[in-house]
């Protein structure tokens, strides 16, 4: 029993380190191009989700349909402050490949942070710690690209997504909300 | 139940904080660190093949206070972010009695003719400041920073015309192929991107690079999508109970 309790935080710390390391690697590879650095980052997240997967918990989970609706609502709320702005002139034809990559990376990030990391932290340190640490990791992995100025907003969004994870018991609504919020940047950024 | 209450509270707090923090940002961020491609260049006088989809360029304006007799530092940018200027405190000298300085950047529909051997690329922008109230003369004491977006195609340097003719300025271009260039602007007047006349536009290799990038992104999505689906199918198979044989025996 003692071994389990000691091992769990070490594993949570390892997952945290791996996710932050993937983000750092991505930042270092950025001069080689956005595509390559994003691919390496995605591959790292796939690896983390695959090899660090925690065993299933007994938390209650919302159904898929209800989870998707919750994710869409949270994503829409995240976009409310910006939809009043002028629409961008970006061509719709180029949106699809960009949107697919954004959705994929958003889903992988959620699988790693709100999936693997959340489960490990929640099992050992509790839900609140899992939500707060997940928000901090979410803000930190975006630091190299957006700088310190964007960290408070990223932490706030991470907090909301962590809350959504705890409320629904699933990663799916977090991925939906995250993806929808990302897609808004095409139209209003 | 406790986890759900904590989740609901975190969700509410996060959304409220995000809404408050969003108000300070001009545009929604992408929470994945993926670059959003820039909007198409807005032309004042678009080439014929781009005229149908062109949106007119926007101007920008800001009034900056005078503190202790000095114009406070600040920045001005056009609404479409095609020109951004930034200056430190004391960069401009305002007329006596002025309480502020109004700076503006506007695309010039009737710019001066291009210098010989040089082609102006994209829009010509007029940058100027006047004292407020009264519109008194403001002079530049030290150079300020100007960043200009240029359209796709050839680019060499930024040109400046203060009324006495165009001259090239030492220009820094953004890394990674971003279509932005910066100069230490010496004064008010006209600014424009330029290239030598007849300079080649995008080569076949740059076109090829764009296609490779597009199909690279598609390949990337298909590859990782397939991996994710494969893993999910395997996970579900492992979770499903093994079918029992000879149940009726």
């Amino acid at each position: 029993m003692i071994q389990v309790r000691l091992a769990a935080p070490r594993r949570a710390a390892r997952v945290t380190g791996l996710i932050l390391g993937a983000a750092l690697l991505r930042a270092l590879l950025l001069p080689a191009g956005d595509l390559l650095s994003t691919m390496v980052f995605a591959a790292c997240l796939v690896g983390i989700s695959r090899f660090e997967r925690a065993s299933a918990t007994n938390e209650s989970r919302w159904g898929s349909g209800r989870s998707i609706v919750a994710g869409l609502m949270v994503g829409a709320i995240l976009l409310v402050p910006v939809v009043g702005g002028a629409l961008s002139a970006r061509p719709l034809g180029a949106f699809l490949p960009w949107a697919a990559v954004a959705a994929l990376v958003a889903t992988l990030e959620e699988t790693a942070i709100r999936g693997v990391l959340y489960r490990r932290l929640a099992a050992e340190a509790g839900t609140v710690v899992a939500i707060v640490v997940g928000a901090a990791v979410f803000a930190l992995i975006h630091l190299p690209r957006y700088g310190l100025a964007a960290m408070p907003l990223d932490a706030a969004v991470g907090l909301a997504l962590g809350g959504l994870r705890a409320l629904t018991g699933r990663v799916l609504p977090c991925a939906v909300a995250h993806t929808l919020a990302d897609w808004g940047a095409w139209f209003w950024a | 139940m406790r986890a759900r209450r904590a989740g609901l509270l975190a969700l509410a707090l996060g959304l409220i904080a995000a809404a408050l923090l969003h108000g300070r940002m001009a545009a929604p961020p992408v929470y994945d660190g993926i670059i959003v491609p820039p909007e198409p260049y807005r032309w004042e006088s678009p080439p014929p093949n781009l005229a149908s989809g062109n949106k007119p360029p926007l101007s920008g304006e800001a009034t900056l206070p005078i503190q202790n007799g000095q114009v406070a530092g600040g920045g001005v940018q056009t609404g479409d972010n095609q020109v951004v200027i930034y200056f430190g405190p004391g960069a401009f000298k305002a007329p006596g009695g002025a309480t502020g300085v109004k700076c503006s950047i506007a695309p010039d529909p009737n710019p001066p003719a291009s210098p010989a051997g040089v082609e102006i690329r994209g829009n010509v922008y007029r940058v100027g400041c006047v004292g407020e109230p009264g519109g008194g003369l403001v002079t530049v004491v030290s150079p300020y920073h100007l960043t200009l977006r240029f359209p796709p195609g050839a680019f060499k340097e930024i040109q400046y015309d203060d009324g006495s003719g165009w001259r090239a300025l030492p220009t820094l271009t953004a890394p990674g192929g971003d279509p932005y260039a910066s100069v230490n602007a010496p004064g008010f007047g006209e600014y424009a991107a330029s290239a030598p006349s007849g300079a080649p536009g995008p080569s076949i290799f740059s076109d090829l690079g764009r296609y490779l990038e597009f199909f690279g992104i598609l390949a990337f999505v298909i590859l990782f999508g397939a991996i994710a689906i494969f893993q999910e199918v395997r996970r579900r198979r492992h979770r499903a109970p093994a079918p029992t044989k000879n149940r009726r025996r």
Side-chain angles (χ1 to χ4, degrees):
Chain A
M1 189 62 187
I2 291 170
Q3 280 179 335
V4 171
R5 284 188 169 275
L6 287 174
R10 211 168 52 219
R11 295 190 79 170
R14 189 173 69 196
V15 174
T16 306
L18 285 171
I19 295 171
L20 293 177
L24 185 63
L25 183 62
R26 180 191 202 183
L28 292 174
L29 287 174
L30 201 57
D34 192 42
L35 181 64
L36 177 73
S37 61
T38 302
M39 282 174 75
V40 170
F41 181 60
C44 290
L45 293 181
V46 168
I48 292 165
S49 304
R50 174 78 181 83
F51 296 111
E52 295 290 338
R53 193 166 59 212
S55 54
T57 58
N58 58 355
E59 63 185 320
S60 58
R61 305 168 77 207
W62 285 16
S64 297
R66 205 172 154 205
S67 297
I68 290 170
V69 171
L72 288 172
M73 283 174 65
V74 170
I77 292 170
L78 286 173
L79 285 176
V80 163
V82 294
V83 291
L87 274 174
S88 81
R90 290 188 185 86
L92 209 57
F95 173 66
L96 289 178
W98 181 87
V101 174
L104 185 73
V105 178
T107 303
L108 288 173
E109 275 185 11
E110 292 307 318
T111 306
I113 297 172
R114 251 66 66 174
V116 179
L117 181 62
Y118 180 94
R119 266 189 187 174
R120 292 223 177 276
L121 285 167
E124 178 56 30
T127 306
V128 174
V129 173
I131 294 171
V132 172
V133 173
V137 169
F138 187 70
L140 279 170
I141 64 172
H142 297 115
L143 179 64
R145 176 59 64 87
Y146 300 128
L148 277 172
M151 269 193 87
L153 178 60
D154 282 337
V157 173
L159 190 66
L161 293 174
L164 188 61
R165 166 68 177 83
L167 182 67
T168 63
R170 300 187 69 139
V171 176
L172 176 67
C174 308
V176 171
H178 188 158
T179 301
L180 192 64
D182 279 356
W183 285 354
W186 183 273
F187 300 99
W188 289 287
Chain B
M1 199 61 196
R2 206 174 140 213
R4 286 202 169 175
R5 271 207 302 270
L8 193 60
L9 183 66
L11 177 61
L13 278 176
L15 288 176
I16 291 167
L20 293 173
L21 292 163
H22 253 313
R24 299 193 318 191
M25 300 187 78
V30 180
Y31 303 107
D32 293 325
I34 295 173
I35 291 171
V36 186
E39 283 191 64
Y41 188 82
R42 290 171 177 249
W43 296 82
E44 179 66 31
S45 305
N49 60 324
L50 298 175
S52 63
N54 182 59
K55 283 190 173 184
L58 302 176
S59 53
E61 192 177 277
T63 301
L64 304 143
I66 294 174
Q67 292 168 346
N68 304 323
Q70 267 198 341
V71 179
V76 188
Q77 64 188 68
T78 59
D80 50 20
N81 295 327
Q82 290 192 166
V83 185
V84 180
I85 65 172
Y86 173 79
F87 46 89
F92 304 148
K93 189 180 173 199
T99 56
V101 163
K102 187 165 85 175
C103 291
S104 62
I105 310 168
D108 188 347
N110 300 302
S114 306
V118 172
E119 183 188 347
I120 295 296
R121 301 277 299 115
N123 307 327
V124 175
Y125 285 92
R126 173 173 288 278
V127 178
C129 295
V130 291
E132 291 262 285
L137 184 72
V138 173
T139 50
V140 177
V141 177
S142 59
Y144 58 96
H145 192 258
L146 180 144
T147 299
L148 180 69
R149 183 180 175 187
F150 50 87
F155 171 76
K156 187 183 177 196
E157 59 205 349
I158 290 176
Q159 300 270 344
Y160 165 58
D161 184 352
D162 58 1
S164 60
W166 289 106
R167 63 187 163 102
L169 298 175
T171 304
L172 282 175
T173 47
D178 285 342
Y180 291 91
S182 299
V183 289
N184 282 323
F188 299 132
E190 313 263 356
Y191 288 87
S194 71
S197 291
S203 70
I204 189 165
F205 292 107
S206 57
D207 286 343
L208 197 64
R210 275 205 300 275
Y211 281 113
L212 275 176
E213 187 163 9
F214 179 80
F215 287 110
I217 289 171
L218 276 186
F220 167 69
V221 169
I222 291 166
L223 176 70
F224 281 99
I227 290 172
I229 291 167
F230 176 71
Q231 284 201 337
E232 184 60 20
V233 169
R234 265 188 64 180
R235 192 174 66 84
R236 288 187 181 194
R237 267 198 200 147
H238 280 290
R239 257 194 358 198
T244 52
K245 288 179 183 172
N246 304 327
R247 193 178 281 172
R248 302 185 69 176
R249 273 177 65 186

